[in-house]
Amino acid sequence: MARKAVTPPVRGSRSGRPIMVLLDALGQRWTLRILWELTPGPLSFRDLRERCDQVSPTVLNGRLKLLREMALVEREEGAGYRLTPQGQELGVRLLDLNHWAEHWARD
Amino acid sequence: MARKAVTPPVRGSRSGRPIMVLLDALGQRWTLRILWELTPGPLSFRDLRERCDQVSPTVLNGRLKLLREMALVEREEGAGYRLTPQGQELGVRLLDLNHWAEHWARD
DNA sequence: TCTTTCGCTACGGAAAGTGTAGCGACCCGA
DNA sequence: TCGGGTCGCTACACTTTCCGTAGCGAAAGA
């Protein structure tokens, strides 16, 4: 498919629209979950893995790499991984989503 | 989710927390994109597929089935697929996300 | 030195996604 | 009444991604 792509790895869409880049990244399994688990505070690689239902380290590392490239997550010596300020802004949206989900579950 | 009842497999998490169900569903490829493409208005199966970079009909149908079970999307005779009121609430959040993404892209 | 914990990688098997072809139902104009 | 077009959707073989487990090298105590 074309998604193997020409040059750049944005994979999901060649439109370049930021939302597409975002949707595509968030649409990979565990990405949203990882952000969610990091919103309360920093976590070590292993702890983060545990929170995410023991997701395989291969995938976790891949996602963290992606999220770091997107400047949503960063690694801090000693404290493990944490959201960047930009990542926290996204986290706020996730919290809102959580709020909505609670309500949605009572349909 | 509670809606899908007891036994099976929300796949991502056994916690039952709605946000987990949601994150898991949205974390499947194309799910977020499909919701996004439906926010402006209803689309036929084929049109929707075209908007989603010609995603394979197999996957598209699978996602639509899931989204319908989650009561986020419904099919209307003649008009194709469209968001339910609940789906539209989610769409609002996606629009907000879009707004943020535009800003985020200028990092 | 021995042990523990850290982030992270290797690798083989399993699952999910992809691309193409095409079916049955429906409509519409000839 | 016969194509020809569109609709939603499925079948199926192929490819990519993901998973689960094992384990490495480094660092930090004991």
Side-chain angles (χ1 to χ4, degrees):
Chain A
M1 186 159 185
R3 50 184 55 278
K4 235 292 118 51
V6 198
T7 10
V10 188
R11 202 203 65 199
S13 170
R14 19 226 152 289
S15 71
R17 282 198 294 159
I19 183 67
M20 291 305 171
V21 177
L22 196 62
L23 289 185
D24 188 57
L26 300 184
Q28 288 183 76
R29 200 157 299 165
W30 299 113
T31 311
L32 274 169
R33 175 71 173 269
I34 289 168
L35 287 171
W36 172 254
E37 296 294 349
L38 283 178
T39 39
L43 287 174
S44 74
F45 187 92
R46 281 170 138 90
D47 285 348
L48 181 55
R49 191 184 165 222
E50 201 155 334
R51 299 255 193 151
C52 293
D53 296 338
Q54 292 292 344
V55 56
S56 78
T58 317
V59 173
L60 178 55
N61 188 41
R63 294 297 184 275
L64 285 172
K65 197 168 292 179
L66 178 67
L67 288 171
R68 278 194 281 177
E69 287 171 5
M70 297 173 75
L72 295 175
V73 163
E74 64 190 353
R75 200 174 104 190
E76 187 188 15
E77 274 310 304
Y81 290 93
R82 65 171 181 184
L83 298 182
T84 63
Q86 304 199 25
Q88 288 176 18
E89 289 182 38
L90 225 184
V92 169
R93 265 105 188 145
L94 292 183
L95 285 173
D96 176 52
L97 202 63
N98 179 42
H99 184 73
W100 175 82
E102 302 278 4
H103 152 74
W104 162 74
R106 305 188 282 271
D107 43 358
Chain B
M1 70 187 98
R3 40 176 65 289
K4 206 36 196 210
V6 193
T7 18
V10 189
R11 200 202 63 204
S13 168
R14 22 227 149 286
S15 71
R17 283 199 294 161
I19 182 67
M20 291 304 171
V21 177
L22 196 62
L23 290 184
D24 187 57
L26 300 184
Q28 288 183 74
R29 198 158 298 163
W30 298 113
T31 311
L32 273 169
R33 175 69 173 270
I34 288 168
L35 285 172
W36 171 254
E37 296 294 349
L38 283 178
T39 40
L43 286 174
S44 73
F45 187 93
R46 282 169 137 92
D47 285 347
L48 181 55
R49 191 184 166 221
E50 200 155 337
R51 299 257 193 149
C52 293
D53 297 338
Q54 292 292 340
V55 58
S56 78
T58 315
V59 173
L60 178 55
N61 188 41
R63 294 297 184 275
L64 286 172
K65 197 168 295 182
L66 178 66
L67 288 170
R68 279 194 281 177
E69 286 172 6
M70 297 173 74
L72 296 174
V73 163
E74 63 190 354
R75 202 174 103 189
E76 188 188 16
E77 275 309 304
Y81 289 94
R82 66 171 178 183
L83 298 182
T84 64
Q86 304 199 26
Q88 288 176 18
E89 288 181 38
L90 225 182
V92 168
R93 267 115 188 134
L94 292 183
L95 286 172
D96 176 52
L97 203 64
N98 179 44
H99 185 73
W100 175 81
E102 302 279 4
H103 153 75
W104 162 73
R106 306 187 282 273
D107 49 356

